[in-house]
Amino acid sequence: VGFDDIALASEMDPPLTTVRQNIHALGLEAARVLASVVDDPGAGPRRRLLQTELIVRQSSIGVSTNP
């Protein structure tokens, strides 16, 4: 299983199951956290949980595209 759903993942044999994250949402949340650190640097650690998507491909179901 891979992470970030790189283009190569779907072209492997068998195609690789991967976890996809929304890069736009990740960047937006990073900017929000940075702004909150600037506004209140003493507030302590910040933790955010962003949704991911599991892209199931043949590497996880045991089926190869090669005969």
Side-chain angles (χ1 to χ4, degrees):
V1 175
F3 198 81
D4 281 342
D5 196 21
I6 62 171
L8 184 61
S10 64
E11 298 184 25
M12 297 180 78
D13 185 26
L16 185 63
T17 293
T18 189
V19 176
R20 180 184 294 161
Q21 35 180 3
N22 183 328
I23 300 300
H24 177 77
L26 183 64
L28 186 60
E29 192 58 32
R32 287 181 183 145
V33 169
L34 178 59
S36 74
V37 169
V38 170
D39 288 343
D40 187 5
R46 283 106 172 138
R47 181 179 291 188
R48 301 293 188 268
L49 182 62
L50 302 178
Q51 287 190 325
T52 58
E53 180 183 3
L54 180 63
I55 308 299
V56 178
R57 296 192 178 110
Q58 292 169 327
S59 66
S60 293
I61 57 175
V63 177
S64 175
T65 57
N66 276 344

